Amino acid sequence: YISYALSPIVWVDLSAESLYLGWDTESSGADPFFPPDHLGRSSTYEVPPLTVWGVALCVSGTLIATENAIVVTTILATPSLRAPVFLLLASLGMADLLAGVALILHFLFMFCVEPSDWSELLTSGLLVTSLTASLCSLMGVALDRYLSLSHALTYGSGQSRRRAAVLLLLVWLGACVIGMGPAMGWHCLEEPKSCSVARPLTRTYLSLLCGGFLVVVMVTLQLYAGICRVARRHAHAIATQRHFLPSSQSYASKHSSGRGFSRLILILSVFVGCWMPFSLWGLLGDASSPPLYTYATLVPAAGSSLLNPILYSLRHKDIRKVLLHACCPHRYSHSTHIHYPVDV
């Protein structure tokens, strides 16, 4: 009688717990993959089923990590690729490689293992570090292109390489310090009301981060505007001597200049389109904003890591020559001749 009498009570208790664990995450606005701490994160946690978003997250992270690993390995394994531009491209590839690793880790913590506070802090800190280093490396690439045009005679010297190395060291130190913010206590896991549009980052932290992103974007655009001014002066100088050139060379010069400006417009369009949406949304949104808008603005920023190797590294003919030699050593010679200054 005692066992029979207690069994309905146990059944009601378990039923209430199961109903509580199945709360409506859509109406509450909470993250369905990272349950609140008051649920206890017990050993009975069930991994959510794989979704289309999860597959896209894993595939994109793998592609980003793979292509950037190829770029970084190619540059570091080739002694002739030691000019400042290649150091900057290696830094850009390393930052985007970390972004791909962060996306893969986020996928594993979402669908393979039970999430926890430290997993959130790890993935968010790694993403902040990689995106900060990537954006600053893009600014460094723009600065390198500007200096290669305005100081063409001294470009590629040992002093320039040392300056580029010091610049990259400062960039990575700053990116690591900024990325350690969530792990050092600048998060909203204990105060959900202070969360930003990107949990577990606080609104103050994300606002400062996005404000810095906007400053870097504006500086980069100013550098590319300077590149256009210098290129225009060079084109004017060539135009004054056009009557000394044969008509075929004059046409080739015009065609090369137009193709260069088309590439520049493409690079700037991708750069602004990838970074401006999330930078503005991080300043304007808050914890009550729809998560869909956060994903819609964060995906282009992460997609920048997928496009950067194609727009910057793989487009460089010296890097392509090394890769073609690695794939077909009997068809392509390994002689790599570096050209200065870098083609705009």
Side-chain angles (χ1 to χ4, degrees):
Y1 284 103
I2 295 176
S3 176
Y4 180 79
L6 290 179
S7 59
I9 301 176
V10 174
W11 179 84
V12 171
D13 183 52
L14 291 178
S15 177
E17 182 182 2
S18 63
L19 289 175
Y20 183 71
L21 289 175
W23 62 311
D24 189 2
T25 57
E26 294 183 358
S27 61
S28 62
D31 192 343
F33 302 114
F34 292 95
D37 293 335
H38 62 263
L39 293 184
R41 301 185 189 272
S42 63
S43 58
T44 60
Y45 172 80
E46 295 183 0
V47 178
L50 192 62
T51 62
V52 176
W53 163 251
V55 174
L57 187 68
C58 182
V59 171
S60 60
T62 303
L63 289 177
I64 291 172
T66 302
E67 64 175 353
N68 284 284
I70 293 175
V71 171
V72 173
T73 304
T74 301
I75 295 176
L76 296 182
T78 308
S80 58
L81 301 180
R82 291 296 180 268
V85 62
F86 296 114
L87 297 179
L88 293 167
L89 291 178
S91 172
L92 179 61
M94 182 62 69
D96 294 334
L97 172 62
L98 289 180
V101 172
L103 292 179
I104 295 175
L105 290 178
H106 189 50
F107 167 80
L108 294 177
F109 291 135
M110 285 175 63
F111 298 102
C112 298
V113 297
E114 180 180 356
S116 60
D117 290 347
W118 71 266
S119 65
E120 287 190 76
L121 297 177
L122 175 63
T123 53
S124 60
L126 193 57
L127 272 175
V128 169
T129 301
S130 60
L131 294 179
T132 303
S134 178
L135 185 58
C136 292
S137 297
L138 288 174
M139 183 180 65
V141 171
L143 178 61
D144 170 81
R145 291 180 171 181
Y146 176 76
L147 294 177
S148 67
L149 288 175
S150 58
H151 301 82
L153 296 179
T154 58
Y155 175 81
S157 62
Q159 185 177 6
S160 299
R161 286 192 291 269
R162 286 191 296 271
R163 290 177 180 175
V166 172
L167 175 63
L168 291 178
L169 179 61
L170 294 177
V171 165
W172 278 97
L173 284 177
C176 291
V177 170
I178 295 173
M180 289 174 61
M184 298 301 292
W186 209 346
H187 58 78
C188 63
L189 295 178
E190 298 177 355
E191 298 181 3
K193 293 183 179 180
S194 64
C195 284
S196 64
V197 295
R199 186 176 182 269
L201 306 181
T202 64
R203 196 167 191 273
T204 303
Y205 178 86
L206 187 62
S207 297
L208 293 175
L209 185 66
C210 291
F213 283 176
L214 287 176
V215 171
V216 175
V217 169
M218 297 306 297
V219 172
T220 304
L221 293 179
Q222 288 295 324
L223 288 172
Y224 276 110
I227 289 174
C228 292
R229 288 193 296 268
V230 175
R232 216 170 21 239
R233 288 200 303 265
H234 289 180
H236 179 72
I238 294 175
T240 58
Q241 302 177 359
R242 186 178 301 169
H243 61 279
F244 295 106
L245 297 175
S247 58
S248 60
Q249 295 184 14
S250 177
Y251 173 78
S253 176
K254 291 181 180 179
H255 182 68
S256 176
S257 177
R259 189 171 51 185
F261 278 106
S262 299
R263 287 198 299 264
L264 182 59
I265 293 175
L266 174 63
I267 289 174
L268 290 179
S269 301
V270 173
F271 177 74
V272 174
C274 288
W275 287 102
M276 287 295 287
F278 180 73
S279 298
L280 294 176
W281 178 243
L283 292 174
L284 301 177
D286 53 22
S288 62
S289 302
L292 180 61
Y293 295 161
T294 302
Y295 286 122
T297 56
L298 189 57
V299 166
S304 173
S305 299
L306 183 65
L307 297 175
N308 286 338
I310 301 174
L311 294 177
Y312 294 93
S313 301
L314 299 179
R315 191 179 62 84
H316 202 289
K317 56 184 175 183
D318 295 313
I319 296 179
R320 287 203 310 268
K321 188 182 294 184
V322 174
L323 289 175
L324 290 175
H325 173 77
C327 297
C328 305
H330 301 290
R331 185 174 180 180
Y332 298 95
S333 62
H334 191 61
S335 59
T336 303
H337 179 67
I338 308 301
H339 301 273
Y340 305 107
V342 177
D343 184 15
V344 178

